[in-house]
Amino acid sequence: MRKIALEEHFTTAAMEHYSLPGAALFAPDYWQSSLRLLLDFTEVRLPQMDQYGIDVEVLSLVSPGVQAEKDTATAVRNAALTNDFLAEIVARHPGRFAGFAALPLQDPEAAVSELDRAVNELGLRGALVNGHTHGEYLDAEKFFPLWERAEALGVPLYLHPANSFDTWHNLRGHEELIGPIWSWGVETATHALRIVFSGVFDRFPDATLILGHMGESLPGMLWRLDTRWRFADRRGIKLGKKRPSDYIRENIMITTSGVCAQAPLLGSMLALGADRIMFSTDYPMEENDEAVAFIENAPISEADRAKICHLNAERLLKL
């Protein structure tokens, strides 16, 4: 069965230094091994795709990417250079790679222009955003033009984790919980809920947000979100739809990246339906063989497996 993997990372020699703070969360030998794979496209990546039956990887710059750059002009330049590089990789291997653009969100107007260029001129399939940009999140009004352009272009924004802007008090003394083991998922789910409750999807009803890691735990929380919203102090917030879960089911799609477990997959299918889930590995942070074996052996119908493995991605990304 055809497989399209949506959260597959890369870096370049010019960009790898941005990942050093995050690399400190990993064992040094693990990070060095991952870095070699992030820089590679043909020696290991393509042969593994062939070996395990991954037909297409949608490539994205590894976290935190250009969003960590403090100088706005440098961020604008690096985003364009990275997207040009990515487009060249895709062009060299037609049918095997696609790409999500990096955006210089330090300058929202430049980010809109870069998204437009990346999609219309370079053929990229949307953009991947690595969490916050110096403490600013995608629910801010300054980013509404980006949502407007993404909606008009018919492309998604993929919200990927990054280190938090600051260290939460309740993590101090337990820094082992910082990063992918716990805090990244909570941070990313919170970011997504900020987008929901700020009314972004009321203003841009055809916009699509993608969340990795089986929805960053949100599929399992829909009932509670809805019931607590019924009597919460809404602080003046008025949503156009009756339930918060309506936005998650209609404007958010999720991927299986980094979660090779049946319980969260089946729970997500019950919560969202198979039409909202897409296959991913999270390469090279996760292993292709494990991700493929997981989805091939999942106790689901062949019709649902086809949706998750490739049909949903083909529809969303026009692949």
Side-chain angles (χ1 to χ4, degrees):
M1 181 176 290
R2 189 175 194 231
K3 296 179 186 67
I4 300 172
L6 271 80
E7 190 189 312
E8 318 310 318
H9 304 298
F10 78 96
T11 193
T12 68
M15 298 297 291
E16 63 180 86
H17 68 283
Y18 289 119
S19 298
L20 291 178
L25 299 172
F26 300 94
D29 56 343
Y30 178 87
W31 173 249
Q32 288 303 315
S33 174
S34 297
L35 180 58
R36 287 192 293 272
L37 295 174
L38 286 165
L39 291 164
D40 164 72
F41 297 93
T42 58
E43 291 187 10
V44 177
R45 189 187 298 260
L46 271 173
Q48 275 203 14
M49 290 169 64
D50 292 337
Q51 181 179 359
Y52 297 116
I54 298 175
D55 297 271
V56 181
E57 281 192 355
V58 184
L59 303 173
S60 53
L61 183 63
V62 73
S63 180
V66 297
Q67 290 174 253
E69 175 56 55
K70 294 182 178 180
D71 180 73
T72 298
T74 302
V76 172
R77 181 173 63 254
N78 284 349
L81 290 172
T82 300
N83 293 334
D84 287 343
F85 173 86
L86 177 54
E88 289 179 9
I89 293 295
V90 172
R92 287 179 201 165
H93 305 279
R96 303 310 306 277
F97 294 136
F100 287 131
L103 298 178
L105 293 168
Q106 295 86 338
D107 181 342
E109 184 176 344
V112 170
S113 296
E114 184 59 20
L115 177 63
D116 191 79
R117 186 184 79 92
V119 173
N120 288 324
E121 297 181 24
L122 302 181
L124 302 184
R125 305 295 171 155
L128 184 138
V129 176
N130 288 298
H132 66 89
T133 303
H134 304 302
E136 295 187 302
Y137 297 85
L138 287 173
D139 62 298
E141 190 170 351
K142 66 190 291 184
F143 297 123
F144 284 2
L146 177 64
W147 287 107
E148 182 179 28
R149 186 59 55 88
E151 181 186 49
L153 292 169
V155 298
L157 300 180
Y158 198 128
L159 183 58
H160 184 269
N163 284 344
S164 300
F165 179 66
D166 49 20
T167 301
W168 313 337
H169 176 76
N170 64 350
L171 291 179
R172 292 173 185 154
H174 281 280
E175 284 75 13
E176 71 277 6
L177 299 178
I178 296 174
I181 192 172
W182 181 249
S183 69
W184 281 4
V186 178
E187 165 104 357
T188 309
T190 303
H191 191 161
L193 291 177
R194 288 176 64 115
I195 293 167
V196 168
F197 285 103
S198 69
V200 164
F201 296 130
D202 287 326
R203 186 181 291 261
F204 309 107
D206 294 324
T208 298
L209 181 73
I210 304 175
L211 295 176
H213 313 108
M214 213 70 80
E216 309 290 0
S217 80
L218 286 179
M221 294 298 296
L222 298 189
W223 183 89
R224 186 164 176 82
L225 283 172
D226 290 344
T227 59
R228 299 314 93 175
W229 182 241
R230 287 206 304 262
F231 59 78
D233 178 357
R234 301 189 182 186
R235 302 177 183 271
I237 295 173
K238 295 181 180 180
L239 294 178
K241 296 178 181 178
K242 182 178 180 180
R243 304 173 302 178
S245 66
D246 293 334
Y247 298 94
I248 295 172
R249 290 189 174 97
E250 296 170 20
N251 294 98
I252 292 178
M253 297 189 70
I254 72 171
T255 77
T256 64
S257 64
V259 180
C260 297
Q262 305 300 348
L265 172 63
L266 298 177
S268 295
M269 291 177 67
L270 287 171
L272 304 177
D275 290 335
R276 310 302 296 180
I277 305 171
M278 298 176 289
F279 172 72
S280 292
T281 295
D282 202 354
Y283 179 89
M285 308 308 174
E286 302 290 344
E287 301 291 339
N288 282 328
D289 58 342
E290 184 175 16
V292 169
F294 156 68
I295 200 62
E296 287 184 343
N297 294 294
I300 59 179
S301 71
E302 290 307 304
D304 284 344
R305 199 182 324 274
K307 289 178 181 180
I308 294 169
C309 282
H310 67 97
L311 291 176
N312 295 336
E314 289 168 352
R315 169 173 50 85
L316 179 65
L317 303 183
K318 304 176 180 64
L319 290 171

